[in-house]
């Protein structure tokens, strides 16, 4: 299951360092909260980038991080460049649990989070809410043909994104470790296409960095077309990695959105 096992159910497959783990999803803190928060990472990253969120939330939500193939505990698997395959992996794991689900995705994770929410909705299991961050709406993203992404291109991309020191980018060992998954994820993003919005019937909130060069704040309102219950755009100080720079504010905001969506959902169910 994609959570702390309930009575009479089987526990998740695998573990590491005391963490419950399936293939893609890893539990990042204590189990047992009534609502799950599944967090999808930016290109090149793993679910561990959200490791601090569980402590910040203090048990209010059960935090799971998604790790694409080819990195961390999945380093023995081939890298994946197919967005549909990644969505299918997460769908297969989150649907082993019937508890309410909130989805958060940053940058690449926002695209996967939207497609995950759409797939779950199609199955009649919509998330309680979706929060997307640091990513232009799919239909306004700049279409790019897939390319090889040389090491120099990847280094320039990291510089453009901000948040990575130049001396780290020039480190040969770091390049060998980080560039292959980054290259695969950028290729995955290039292959992702959605020309026309499909509106979700669930709350959708958007987070934006005021000085984000990747996802300019003035483009983010276009996400309104992707939900019949759009909760607006909230801007935070910082660039593309404002979710790290402003982590506590972001986590508190996501928690508030989740609680409001859960309350509204219960009221609708009671009517």
């Amino acid at each position: 299951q994609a959570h702390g096992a309930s009575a009479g159910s089987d526990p998740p497959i695998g573990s590491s360092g005391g963490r419950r783990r399936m293939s893609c999803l890893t539990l990042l803190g204590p189990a047992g909260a009534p609502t799950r928060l599944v967090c999808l990472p930016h290109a090149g990253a793993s679910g561990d980038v959200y490791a601090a969120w569980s402590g910040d939330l203090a048990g209010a939500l059960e935090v799971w991080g998604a790790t694409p193939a080819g990195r961390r505990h999945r380093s023995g698997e081939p890298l994946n460049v197919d967005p549909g395959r990644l969505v299918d992996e997460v769908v297969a794991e989150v649907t082993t649990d019937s508890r309410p689900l909130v989805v958060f995705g940053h940058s690449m994770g926002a695209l996967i989070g939207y497609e995950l929410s759409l797939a779950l909705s199609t199955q009649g299991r919509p998330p309680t809410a979706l929060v997307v961050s640091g990513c232009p709406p799919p239909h306004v993203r700049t279409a790019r043909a897939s390319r090889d992404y040389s090491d120099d291109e990847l280094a320039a991309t990291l510089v453009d994104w901000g948040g990575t020191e130049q001396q780290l980018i020039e480190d040969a060992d770091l390049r060998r470790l980080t560039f292959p998954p980054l290259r695969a994820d950028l290729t995955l993003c290039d292959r992702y296409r959605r020309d026309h919005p499909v509106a979700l019937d669930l709350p959708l909130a958007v987070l934006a960095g005021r000085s984000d060069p990747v996802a300019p704040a003035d483009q983010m309102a276009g996400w309104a077309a992707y939900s019949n219950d759009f909760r607006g755009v909230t801007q935070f100080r910082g660039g593309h990695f404002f979710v790290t720079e402003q982590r506590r504010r972001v986590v508190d905001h996501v928690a508030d959105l989740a609680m409001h969506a859960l309350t509204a959902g219960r009221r609708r169910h009671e009517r």
Side-chain angles (χ1 to χ4, degrees), residues 10 20 77 143 150 265:
D10 293 328
R20 292 186 172 183
E77 300 176 44
S150 69

Side-chain angles (χ1 to χ4, degrees), residues 159-222:
V159 171
D160 290 343
W161 286 354
T164 306
E165 298 292 337
Q166 183 66 43
Q167 59 265 34
L168 292 178
I169 294 171
E170 293 171 353
D171 182 89
D173 290 335
L174 184 70
R175 284 187 175 217
R176 280 193 294 271
L177 180 67
T178 62
F179 279 13
L182 176 60
R183 181 178 291 113
D185 288 352
L186 291 176
T187 302
L188 180 150
C189 290
D190 288 345
R191 294 184 178 185
Y192 174 83
R193 291 286 185 275
R194 181 163 291 282
D195 296 328
H196 304 288
V198 176
L200 299 166
D201 193 20
L202 55 92
L204 167 60
V206 177
L207 312 185
R210 291 195 183 100
S211 54
D212 186 347
V214 179
D218 60 3
Q219 292 184 1
M220 301 296 276

Side-chain angles (χ1 to χ4, degrees), residues 8 12 20 34-35 53 60 70 73 89 104 112 122 138 146 150-151 168 178 182 187 193 196 215 222 248 252 259 268:
R20 292 186 172 183
T35 302
W53 283 39
H73 66 279
E89 283 184 346
F104 176 87
I112 301 303
T122 301
S146 292
S150 69
D151 283 3
L168 292 178
T178 62
L182 176 60
T187 302
R193 291 286 185 275
H196 304 288
R248 288 304 299 266
D252 287 347
M259 294 306 124
R268 283 195 300 271

Side-chain angles (χ1 to χ4, degrees), residues 17-249:
R19 287 183 177 174
R20 292 186 172 183
R21 172 173 294 155
M22 299 208 298
S23 176
C24 184
L25 296 180
T26 299
L27 179 62
L28 298 177
T35 302
R36 299 166 293 157
L37 173 65
V38 168
C39 300
L40 302 152
H42 60 271
S46 69
D48 287 351
V49 296
Y50 298 106
W53 283 39
S54 186
D56 294 339
L57 287 163
L61 298 168
E62 185 179 280
V63 184
W64 289 82
T67 296
R71 69 209 73 184
R72 304 294 287 181
H73 66 279
R74 304 186 68 187
S75 59
E77 300 176 44
L79 291 160
N80 171 45
V81 296
D82 179 356
R85 184 183 302 168
L86 179 54
V87 172
D88 289 346
E89 283 184 346
V90 184
V91 167
E93 296 188 7
V94 299
T95 52
T96 61
D97 187 324
S98 61
R99 285 179 299 165
L101 171 70
V102 176
V103 177
F104 176 87
H106 180 70
S107 197
M108 176 188 78
L111 301 176
I112 301 303
Y114 167 74
E115 294 297 335
L116 168 65
S117 299
L118 183 58
L120 292 171
S121 296
T122 301
Q123 294 182 10
R125 305 177 179 185
T128 299
L130 168 64
V131 184
V132 296
S133 165
C135 181
H139 68 286
V140 303
R141 290 174 66 245
T142 303
R144 294 188 299 188
S146 292
R147 54 187 191 273
D148 292 336
Y149 288 106
S150 69
D151 283 3
D152 288 343
E153 282 183 291
L154 294 178
T157 296
L158 290 174
V159 171
D160 290 343
W161 286 354
T164 306
E165 298 292 337
Q166 183 66 43
Q167 59 265 34
L168 292 178
I169 294 171
E170 293 171 353
D171 182 89
D173 290 335
L174 184 70
R175 284 187 175 217
R176 280 193 294 271
L177 180 67
T178 62
F179 279 13
L182 176 60
R183 181 178 291 113
D185 288 352
L186 291 176
T187 302
L188 180 150
C189 290
D190 288 345
R191 294 184 178 185
Y192 174 83
R193 291 286 185 275
R194 181 163 291 282
D195 296 328
H196 304 288
V198 176
L200 299 166
D201 193 20
L202 55 92
L204 167 60
V206 177
L207 312 185
R210 291 195 183 100
S211 54
D212 186 347
V214 179
D218 60 3
Q219 292 184 1
M220 301 296 276
W223 277 102
Y226 289 82
S227 173
N228 295 320
D229 187 6
F230 185 60
R231 299 300 177 91
V233 180
T234 303
Q235 295 188 21
F236 293 82
R237 179 169 45 85
H240 190 53
F241 291 111
F242 70 91
V243 290
T244 301
E245 300 160 12
Q246 304 290 328
R247 191 192 81 227
R248 288 304 299 266
R249 289 192 176 101

